Amino acid sequence: MKAQETFSANVNLKTEPTDKIDFNESGVSVLFSKKINTKNQLTNTTAYSKLNINYELDPFSSNENLDRFNQFQNKTDYLFQASEKKKLQFSVTPMFSFQQNLNFSDFTLLGSFEVNQQLNSNINVSIGAARSNIFGTPKFIPLLTVNYLLSEKSTISVGFPDSKISYSNNIRNKFSLTNSFNGSFYYLDQKSESNYNASKMSLSQMTSAFEYERNVDSNWFLNFKAGYDFNKNYKLIDSEDNTVYNFDTGNGYIFGIGIKYKQ
């Protein structure tokens, strides 16, 4: 489960019912990784996701056709081994987030830079900065992670925006408790018919979840995820990222399943 990936393909399905609205997302991604030499490595991940939204109690939203959204992105990571204990990582992510009709105005550029320092055989620290959409709109955020190897079977990562505790009782099973800030946004095809002057849809939340990954054989993995979204925000925003309509969805439980091929 810890082997170096040179190629992987993922298919994921996720559902989240809330008090007013149900969110259903499907996605597929393909990763290629190439170790150029002992100091340089390139990884490219291409991903597409589709979000379907079912409004049970909000006729306003149904009339606005805010029920289907698409996102396509291509992330390129460059890893440089600066020294025996220090690594530098750069990433660039061009992305298109759109409602129905794709055009160049739906384009956004994200990216990050991190420095990873190995402090001893059990601890390494990563620090950096990123332009990310985890809060529902593109923003510059700090990155910080402290990774600690508890044992051969257990690891813990504490930081922002992601934290994780992982345990593997054998080579086939991996159990994880995760906490992450995550979000997305989508450009709307046209402005709201109700004079809200909205240009984008924004989603953000903090997710705590339990994940189980099963290594079915040497190449195939199954992943199951169950958790809860806290402080969930679903709203329409204008070109200046001001909220013009808040759906007040409330928090919700999430359930996900995925299949992965890796070599």
Side-chain angles (χ1 to χ4, degrees):
M1 296 180 74
K2 297 180 181 179
Q4 176 67 45
E5 292 182 43
T6 57
F7 168 80
S8 70
N10 295 269
V11 176
N12 296 283
L13 300 172
K14 184 180 74 172
T15 183
E16 179 186 8
T18 65
D19 293 339
K20 300 178 181 179
I21 301 173
D22 294 340
F23 299 87
N24 297 286
E25 186 176 37
S26 57
V28 60
S29 65
V30 177
L31 176 149
F32 294 93
S33 183
K34 175 65 175 178
K35 192 169 185 178
I36 302 171
N37 51 43
T38 57
K39 290 191 174 184
N40 298 276
Q41 181 174 331
L42 279 175
T43 302
N44 192 85
T45 306
T46 302
Y48 169 77
S49 63
K50 183 176 182 180
L51 176 65
N52 291 323
I53 303 178
N54 179 32
Y55 302 87
E56 297 180 354
L57 300 175
D58 199 333
F60 159 77
S61 305
S62 300
N63 293 335
E64 295 297 321
N65 297 317
L66 298 174
D67 56 352
R68 286 175 292 175
F69 298 92
N70 301 272
Q71 186 176 97
F72 175 83
Q73 62 181 25
N74 189 82
K75 181 181 180 182
T76 301
D77 291 285
Y78 169 63
L79 183 65
F80 175 66
Q81 186 81 43
S83 66
E84 182 180 353
K85 295 185 177 182
K86 181 180 291 184
K87 297 178 182 178
L88 306 178
Q89 183 167 340
F90 306 84
S91 76
V92 177
T93 308
M95 179 178 70
F96 286 90
S97 297
F98 57 101
Q99 190 176 3
Q100 299 294 326
N101 303 314
L102 174 63
N103 57 64
F104 192 74
S105 62
D106 301 322
F107 175 79
T108 304
L109 184 64
L110 306 177
S112 66
F113 169 70
E114 290 183 81
V115 178
N116 182 286
Q117 180 70 46
Q118 189 76 37
L119 301 182
N120 55 45
S121 59
N122 293 326
I123 302 175
N124 71 70
V125 177
S126 292
I127 187 169
R131 187 174 192 255
S132 170
N133 60 352
I134 63 170
F135 293 120
T137 56
K139 295 181 182 296
F140 286 97
I141 62 168
L143 302 175
L144 176 63
T145 306
V146 178
N147 302 295
Y148 182 66
L149 181 65
L150 296 173
S151 68
E152 292 184 356
K153 297 182 177 181
S154 304
T155 60
I156 181 170
S157 298
V158 179
F160 175 84
D162 302 318
S163 296
K164 175 190 274 190
I165 300 174
S166 298
Y167 171 75
S168 297
N169 64 335
N170 56 48
I171 61 173
R172 290 191 177 273
N173 298 315
K174 183 178 181 180
F175 305 89
S176 302
L177 290 174
T178 63
N179 189 81
S180 61
F181 293 87
N182 51 88
S184 57
F185 70 96
Y186 303 86
Y187 289 99
L188 302 181
D189 288 342
Q190 58 186 6
K191 295 184 182 299
S192 165
E193 296 176 0
S194 302
N195 272 330
Y196 284 97
N197 198 33
S199 60
K200 294 192 285 281
M201 181 274 270
S202 172
L203 274 172
S204 64
Q205 57 270 315
M206 182 181 75
T207 303
S208 295
F210 170 78
E211 296 185 46
Y212 168 60
E213 186 173 75
R214 173 69 176 178
N215 185 188
V216 180
D217 63 21
S218 58
N219 297 110
W220 290 96
F221 295 77
L222 292 175
N223 179 273
F224 303 90
K225 181 176 182 178
Y228 191 75
D229 275 349
F230 299 90
N231 193 30
K232 188 173 185 67
N233 291 295
Y234 172 36
K235 54 192 178 182
L236 302 179
I237 57 179
D238 62 18
S239 58
E240 302 296 326
D241 293 340
N242 299 309
T243 300
V244 295
Y245 188 85
N246 193 329
F247 290 91
D248 294 321
T249 60
N251 301 325
Y253 292 94
I254 61 169
F255 305 94
I257 184 172
I259 185 170
K260 178 180 182 179
Y261 175 82
K262 179 174 75 171
Q263 66 180 28

